[in-house]
Amino acid sequence: MDLKNMTAKEVNERIRHHAGSISDDEWLELNTWIDEFLKSNPPLEEKKLFGPLGSAEIVTMICDGIIRWRNSICIKCKNQQNHDNYHCSIYPRTENPSSGIPNEIWAHEDADCFYYEKL
């Protein structure tokens, strides 16, 4: 994603209408771009695109989840290997959107999992 050549409006559109095609690394890039953009004291109309309760909040929440996932014990567990994010052989993906690895395990730094097997 070429954020340096995008306007605030284009970035906002990308977040709001193409979120499904944004990778984890791109979300983190967007978060950095928004922080730098808002610190640059942009015009009020452009600033309103990101907050309050706008795209900046969406990006912040998504990035929080990405960072928590990357710091989770699941990343270092054999049971998570060859499975999609937030799923493993113990907690597989199902049609139920809330299925998968429980938040108590992947979302907390000091989490423990009974099924954890070190890589």
Side-chain angles (χ1 to χ4, degrees):
M1 184 178 332
D2 187 18
L3 291 170
K4 291 179 183 177
N5 294 318
M6 293 175 77
T7 65
K9 187 175 181 180
E10 291 171 332
V11 171
N12 185 56
E13 287 289 314
R14 176 101 166 111
I15 293 165
R16 293 202 175 267
H17 301 291
H18 303 285
S21 65
I22 299 174
S23 71
D24 287 358
D25 289 332
E26 289 173 328
W27 281 115
L28 296 171
E29 283 179 50
L30 281 166
N31 194 42
T32 301
W33 185 92
I34 291 170
D35 285 345
E36 291 172 5
F37 174 76
L38 293 174
K39 287 177 187 174
S40 72
N41 199 21
L44 185 58
E45 287 303 312
E46 289 184 359
K47 199 174 195 176
K48 285 181 182 179
L49 294 171
F50 298 100
L53 302 176
S55 297
E57 185 172 5
I58 293 166
V59 173
T60 299
M61 289 188 306
I62 291 171
C63 288
D64 179 63
I66 293 167
I67 291 166
R68 286 176 186 273
W69 174 253
R70 288 182 175 182
N71 291 329
S72 72
I73 63 170
C74 301
I75 296 295
K76 301 169 259 181
C77 179
K78 286 181 185 179
N79 292 313
Q80 204 281 321
Q81 295 296 297
N82 302 317
H83 293 275
D84 294 333
N85 283 350
Y86 315 109
H87 299 86
C88 70
S89 59
I90 305 300
Y91 301 104
R93 179 184 298 272
T94 68
E95 291 180 22
N96 178 353
S98 64
S99 70
I101 299 170
N103 290 350
E104 306 82 57
I105 296 173
W106 73 264
H108 298 283
E109 288 181 31
D110 59 350
D112 194 14
C113 178
F114 180 76
Y115 305 103
Y116 175 74
E117 293 182 41
K118 189 175 181 179
L119 283 174

